[in-house]
Amino acid sequence: QVQLVESGGGLVQAGESLRLSCAASGIIFRDNSAGWYRQAPGKQRELVGTMTSGGNTGYPNSVKGRFTISRDNAKNTMYVQMNSLKPEDTAVYYCHVFLDSLGDVWGQGTQVTVSS
């Protein structure tokens, strides 16, 4: 059974930082591309960033330079370091992988709230 479990969300003030974690079971992160998404109330889920199995990362302009995805292969955990947070970064953040056998796999999400 494939499971993704996010943690690390919380309430911070604008300009502060948070690091989210995504622990995987049933898959090996280093063998798969994975990503982070977020969804704010009333908005569509949007991409935050991706990491390939080879460790290459990509980000949309909205977070480029502020967010960094990394991976600890020994812990089979993916992270997103979020710096210089803005109120518009407030959302539920989700970890995601796409598997040929299962399709889209999502974690349960973790809430990030940034106050101004």
Side-chain angles (χ1 to χ4, degrees):
Q1 182 180 0
V2 178
Q3 190 172 18
L4 304 174
V5 179
E6 301 97 334
S7 61
L11 172 63
V12 297
Q13 293 188 335
E16 294 184 339
S17 300
L18 273 178
R19 188 179 79 157
L20 307 182
S21 301
C22 175
S25 59
I27 63 163
I28 298 175
F29 265 137
R30 69 171 183 267
D31 293 339
N32 294 275
S33 294
W36 286 94
Y37 288 75
R38 66 186 181 187
Q39 188 166 18
K43 295 188 177 181
Q44 289 189 329
R45 194 168 294 189
E46 63 175 3
L47 178 69
V48 172
T50 59
M51 174 174 275
T52 68
S53 56
N56 294 316
T57 56
Y59 308 92
N61 288 336
S62 58
V63 305
K64 192 176 294 183
R66 300 189 299 123
F67 289 14
T68 303
I69 293 175
S70 61
R71 189 175 67 204
D72 186 329
N73 291 333
K75 295 181 179 180
N76 203 28
T77 299
M78 183 173 66
Y79 306 94
V80 58
Q81 176 69 43
M82 306 186 296
N83 298 328
S84 302
L85 283 162
K86 304 174 182 180
E88 51 263 44
D89 294 318
T90 295
V92 178
Y93 284 71
Y94 298 91
C95 183
H96 170 268
V97 294
F98 178 84
L99 303 176
D100 290 340
S101 58
L102 293 177
D104 293 305
V105 179
W106 298 94
Q108 84 286 353
T110 186
Q111 176 71 47
V112 172
T113 303
V114 184
S115 63
S116 57

